[in-house]
Each structure stands twice: as C-alpha cells, then as structure tokens.
Amino acid sequence: MKRPLTEGVQDEPLTQKRSRQVSEDEALARRLQTELNEDTQNTKNSAEAIRNFKPSEDKIPQTFRLMKVKGLQPWANTSSVSIADVIQGNVLIAVLSNYMVDIDWLMSACPNLKNIPHVLVVHGESDGRQANMKKLGNWIFHKPSLPIAWGTHHSKAMFLVYPEGVRIIVHTANLIYVDWNNKSQGLWMQDFPWKNQDCLNKGSGFETDLIDYLSSLKWPEFSVKLPELGSISFNSSFFKRFDYSSATVRLIGSVPGYHTGSNIKKWGHMKLRSILQDCVFDKEFQNSPLIYQFSSLGSLDEKWMSEFAFSMSSGVSDDKKPLGLGEPLIVWPTVEDIRCSLEGYAAGSCVPSPQKNVEKPFLKKYWAKWKATHTGRCRAIPHIKTFTRYNGQNLAWFLLTSANLSKAAWGALQKNNTQLMIRSYELGVLFLPSSTIHAHAFSCTENRTPSENIHTSSSKTHEEKRTKLVTLSSLHTKKMSDVITLPVPYELPPQLYSSEDVPWSWDRQYKKRDVFGQVWP
C-alpha cells in the first residue's frame, strides 16, 4: 500500500519531515493492523454466519429459510424449519404440490394432516407408484397432464387455507424423508388475509402469477364447506379471495406446452426475463456475475446457454442502461463432496445427472465448488435450486425454485424466437429489491388480526428507499432497516474447480470408498 502524499510540505525542516514520516508510518501500521483484525473477525464471523440469522417477524416474508438437517451442529440449524413448522394450526384445506410423495412418511412427520377436512395432492409420481397413494378417504390425488414427452410435474409448493387466510409455501424438497432431513434445502412462506368485500376485484402481480399457474393444473373441482362462506366449489379462482398486496416477491412458473404470442412471457426463463426487464437495479450490478445452482443437469448446448444467460442478465441500472450480460458459474458438487457427504455415495442418487450431460467440454469453464462452511452445510448435499446475480455479498435478485438447469424446466425458444417450448411444471419465488414497507407480518397461526398487517409503499413524504438484498456474510449492513438478508447456503464468490476436481455424474463407477465404506454403484 502506498503512503499518502502530503501537499505543501516540500520546504519543511528535516527534523519536522522525519517526525511527520514516523507519524504517517505509525498511522499506516495502525490502519493495516485494524484491517487485518477486521479481516480475521470477518472470517471468524462468516465461518458460522447462519448463527446470526434471526429475521424479525416483519422480515420473514421477504426472505427464505433453510431446512433443518439432521447430524449438523446445532448452530447450523439456526432459524431453519422442519415440515412440522410449516403445516400447523387449524388448516381447512391443504393443496400439496410435489414430484415424489411418500404418504406414510408424510403422515408420520405431520400427524395433523389427518385432521384436515380436505387434502389435494398434485404430484408427478409414476403410474406404478400412484397405486400406493389412494388410501385416504378425504384425500384427492391429481397428476397434471404432460402434453410433451419427457416432462414431469416437478413443482414443490403448499397452499394451506385457514379461517384467517391462506399460507403459501414454495420450497425445494420432495415429500420424502431424505429430502427433509439430509439435504440442503430452502423454503419461503407467507400468510395472506382474506380480501375485504370492497377489494374483491383488486389484483396484484403476485396474484396474477399465482392464478395463472394454479389454473394450468386443472385439478378436478370439489365442493368444500367453509366458515362464513358455506358450500363452495374449490378451484383455482378460489385463490382470488385473498389479499396478496403485501407480497414483495414474484412467482416464476413453468407449464408444459408450446407458448406463443403474449403467453411466451408467462412461463419459464421468458417470465423471468420479462419481470427483470422492468426492474431497476444498482449500478454495481452492471455486467456482474451470475450463479446457477441446482441438482440435475439437462442435455445442454452453447446456443441455449446464451439464450438463458440473456434472460438472467435482463434489467437496467439507475441510469437506465441495460445491466449487460453476466458471466455465469455453475455451483455443483464434486465426486469428493458426494463421497464425504452425510449420506456418502447414496446422496448421489438425488443428483441424477448422467456423464453424457455433465462431461460436455464446453461446460468445463462453468464449474464452481459447493462450499458452505458459513451455513454448516458442506456435507449436506444440495437439493436446493437457486439462481442469482451478485456483486460481492450484495444480490441484485435471487430465485429459489424447483427448476434445475434444463430446457425441459426453463423452456427453449423455437421458430425464430416466437415460441417457447416447455416440458415440465416448475415453480419458484423471485426476491427483488422493493420499496414497500411492512410494519407487521400477518399470520394465520398466531393471534394477530388482519388490521395489523400494515403495508405501505414509500410515500413522497419519505425518501424512497429500495430494500437491499444481501447474503449472510454481509456484515456491515446487518443492522440497517432496509436490508433483507437471504441465507444463500454456498459461499460467494464461489471457487472454481481445480484440475483435480471431478463434477459428479451418477452413472460412473467410483471405487474409492465413501464415509460408510461403500463404493458406487
């Protein structure tokens, strides 16, 4: 570090000059020592950053939580949630959307499901597995149609109707034991009150996202009896009865089909592109990097990766200039990560990507390590899926989703970019900087009245302040009211693979024994 030059001191006496230099050297040494101490403290703090993650009630709907993992140090599960923390209280109707569903485990993990009068399970199970599911009298099972080959119903969400309102949960775990106990997973949830009679026709971006998505599922309508409403038909339009004006997130869904015209912007990466295009971000995110983190890799090519990166890079900065393309990295577990994980090689069955997809030469430049020391999750293999644009520990936006990196999940443009082809159902929640203030978070399960659910856009009498999205390792901004901390489980910026690192693919043989003495397969 260069010593600062002092102006106007060329003619000072020699003794004075020496004294000044000593004084400057001492000041410099003190500054360097302070910086060194701060760096050491930062490293110490960030090593277990999850310990300090305790969002206040009003901030919970604006962030997400990691799920509890068995076998971790207690500090690593700070503010983490289990399925019993989510499905609770006096639920009248439950819609459980997922890919894999283990009914026996679900009932043991959440015994109060037995008391819910109406349960609709929207799933993606194979026909053989479906036969085991239809054994509960008040449960309805529905597998949405898959009009294009090789698609799945992959969305992971819950919609719980209460006398007080509705709880919406978007998450990344299958309804099976290992996903809720052994993996790195994420979950967002928010409760919304019933609309007042005079607001029944008032909508919002979030409501449009939600109704569009639920309408696409086409579940068989059924009749339900609800307090004060009597007998009503339960369909996607039912969810227009709730007030979503306090939502600061958007839903990014994927629905199978060949989408054209205005529908091309409704789904997949084109939906994300259309929302980001209308957003203003801080200048620091111009050409800043992107992260793709997921647990299954499709068969990709460079043309589609460019198409996808273009959507991920949308948006403008404060001066109305486009943010510009960001360089992506793929955070993906190595063979060693899987071998040494809490589950050993068995964890690799939930990272189901074949060698032919993983070992394409053009992907080599993208690989980055799964390092999660600060959340204690290095050995909890990620089933969480996240996409983000970042600069240091600041995030332009963040997406928690069921979507892996594949054309089936995100869609691929066809016919000179006039058609988007999607094979699968997916659902994600997009966190954006917001200028909405929330004084109290409404709850369906705690004794708070809807009138306490105060939300206002910043008025002209207040200086308009956008919320700032940061990671757990952002230490200097933790106490600011306009900061939303998102518990990104991996470290930013990620480390690139070394020449020794091999990305996991599940159809290779691995002879080196894992933590349980097993080989693979």
Side-chain angles (χ1 to χ4, degrees):
M1 190 181 291
K2 286 185 181 174
R3 222 175 14 232
L5 293 170
T6 309
E7 291 180 19
V9 291
Q10 293 92 334
D11 302 326
E12 64 184 331
L14 189 61
T15 52
Q16 202 174 328
K17 190 174 181 181
R18 280 183 183 153
S19 169
R20 178 181 54 74
Q21 283 178 341
V22 168
S23 159
E24 283 177 5
D25 286 344
E26 284 175 352
L28 180 66
R30 279 197 301 274
R31 196 165 92 233
L32 287 171
Q33 189 59 50
T34 304
E35 285 174 7
L36 183 66
N37 290 344
E38 281 175 2
D39 284 347
T40 307
Q41 191 59 37
N42 286 0
T43 305
K44 191 177 171 186
N45 288 351
S46 67
E48 297 177 10
I50 191 78
R51 219 192 256 280
N52 302 313
F53 179 61
K54 296 182 178 82
S56 59
E57 289 294 329
D58 58 312
K59 292 270 181 87
I60 283 174
Q62 295 171 271
T63 186
F64 72 96
R65 249 84 69 80
L66 298 174
M67 293 187 193
K68 286 180 180 166
V69 180
K70 286 195 169 176
L72 297 186
Q73 295 288 332
W75 61 263
N77 282 320
T78 304
S79 287
S80 299
V81 290
S82 68
I83 194 165
D85 297 323
V86 177
I87 304 176
Q88 55 173 228
N90 182 21
V91 182
L92 304 173
I93 311 168
V95 180
L96 308 178
S97 165
N98 222 295
Y99 172 50
M100 296 173 70
V101 184
D102 178 344
I103 297 292
D104 292 335
W105 170 78
L106 190 55
M107 297 302 275
S108 66
C110 251
N112 62 340
L113 278 169
K114 296 186 183 95
N115 306 322
I116 299 176
H118 304 277
V119 179
L120 168 64
V121 179
V122 184
H123 66 92
E125 290 282 20
S126 63
D127 294 342
R129 292 252 322 164
Q130 277 189 74
N132 302 326
M133 295 169 66
K134 306 191 178 182
K135 52 187 175 187
L136 297 162
N138 61 332
W139 289 41
I140 294 170
F141 295 89
H142 172 62
K143 184 177 181 178
S145 68
L146 296 165
I148 305 175
W150 313 114
T152 55
H153 175 267
H154 198 246
S155 304
K156 295 165 178 66
M158 302 177 193
F159 308 92
L160 309 178
V161 179
Y162 293 83
E164 297 80 7
V166 67
R167 172 170 295 176
I168 298 179
I169 304 108
V170 177
H171 63 97
T172 61
N174 286 292
L175 291 173
I176 60 176
Y177 174 87
V178 293
D179 273 26
W180 285 84
N181 289 282
N182 300 338
K183 315 280 183 205
S184 291
Q185 304 272 21
L187 174 153
W188 166 87
M189 70 177 181
Q190 184 169 354
D191 293 2
F192 301 97
W194 297 88
K195 279 180 182 170
N196 296 327
Q197 286 302 307
D198 54 348
C199 296
L200 287 176
N201 296 319
K202 199 173 169 187
S204 64
F206 181 92
E207 180 175 308
T208 304
D209 301 339
L210 178 66
I211 303 303
D212 281 350
Y213 179 76
L214 293 178
S215 301
S216 75
L217 299 176
K218 296 184 170 59
W219 69 71
E221 287 187 27
F222 53 94
S223 185
V224 295
K225 275 191 177 175
L226 293 175
E228 297 180 29
L229 289 177
S231 188
I232 58 159
S233 189
F234 187 72
N235 53 28
S236 57
S237 296
F238 170 80
F239 287 89
K240 290 181 180 174
R241 295 169 181 264
F242 302 99
D243 178 1
Y244 304 109
S245 55
S246 62
T248 57
V249 297
R250 293 295 299 268
L251 296 176
I252 308 291
S254 289
V255 166
Y258 297 95
H259 305 291
T260 57
S262 61
N263 286 342
I264 201 170
K265 292 183 172 182
K266 262 190 178 181
W267 310 115
H269 76 76
M270 292 300 289
K271 168 77 168 186
L272 182 63
R273 183 186 295 190
S274 70
I275 290 178
L276 293 180
Q277 276 173 343
D278 293 336
C279 290
V280 178
F281 299 97
D282 290 340
K283 259 188 178 173
E284 66 174 308
F285 297 112
Q286 281 190 321
N287 298 110
S288 67
L290 303 163
I291 295 290
Y292 309 160
Q293 180 274 311
F294 49 91
S295 63
S296 180
L297 182 71
S299 179
L300 305 178
D301 54 68
E302 292 182 80
K303 177 180 175 291
W304 185 82
M305 288 290 276
S306 297
E307 174 185 312
F308 188 67
F310 189 82
S311 288
M312 293 271 152
S313 300
S314 295
V316 296
S317 57
D318 298 308
D319 56 8
K320 301 292 178 260
K321 286 184 181 168
L323 286 186
L325 276 175
E327 285 287 327
L329 286 177
I330 292 173
V331 173
W332 182 261
T334 64
V335 174
E336 276 296 284
D337 289 333
I338 301 281
R339 189 181 74 82
C340 300
S341 71
L342 294 170
E343 303 165 88
Y345 284 129
S349 63
C350 294
V351 188
S353 291
Q355 205 172 337
K356 67 180 177 65
N357 291 359
V358 171
E359 298 192 357
K360 289 186 175 176
F362 82 89
L363 288 173
K364 273 191 174 175
K365 62 180 178 285
Y366 295 112
W367 297 122
K369 296 185 184 189
W370 168 260
K371 277 182 70 68
T373 312
H374 67 305
T375 56
R377 279 164 171 74
C378 287
R379 297 184 64 220
I381 291 301
H383 189 266
I384 190 173
K385 290 100 171 131
T386 62
F387 296 81
T388 189
R389 183 165 213 171
Y390 74 99
N391 182 353
Q393 302 308 314
N394 297 333
L395 308 173
W397 52 265
F398 185 87
L399 180 72
L400 177 75
T401 178
S402 64
N404 286 300
L405 193 67
S406 71
K407 296 177 187 179
W410 284 100
L413 288 168
Q414 299 174 332
K415 298 189 174 177
N416 203 20
N417 299 344
T418 61
Q419 176 172 288
L420 184 71
M421 189 272 276
I422 297 178
R423 297 178 190 271
S424 296
Y425 294 90
E426 307 284 358
L427 193 62
V429 59
L430 175 65
F431 299 88
L432 292 162
S434 157
S435 53
T436 304
I437 300 163
H438 295 271
H440 296 280
F442 167 75
S443 173
C444 289
T445 53
E446 292 171 27
N447 294 324
R448 292 190 218 141
T449 62
S451 61
E452 285 181 296
N453 185 39
I454 302 162
H455 56 272
T456 54
S457 287
S458 303
S459 64
K460 288 179 184 173
T461 54
H462 295 85
E463 183 190 348
E464 181 145 321
K465 261 189 163 182
R466 271 204 306 264
T467 52
K468 188 182 179 79
L469 306 178
V470 302
T471 72
L472 289 170
S473 299
S474 174
L475 298 172
H476 61 288
T477 48
K478 285 247 165 84
K479 295 193 172 73
M480 290 164 59
S481 62
D482 57 339
V483 165
I484 306 298
T485 304
L486 300 178
V488 181
Y490 45 87
E491 291 159 27
L492 292 177
Q495 284 182 27
L496 293 172
Y497 273 32
S498 72
S499 55
E500 282 82 48
D501 290 318
V502 178
W504 170 261
S505 48
W506 76 334
D507 56 352
R508 282 180 53 161
Q509 280 197 330
Y510 304 106
K511 298 277 176 67
K512 192 174 177 182
R513 296 190 180 276
D514 70 9
V515 289
F516 299 105
Q518 302 296 310
V519 295
W520 181 268

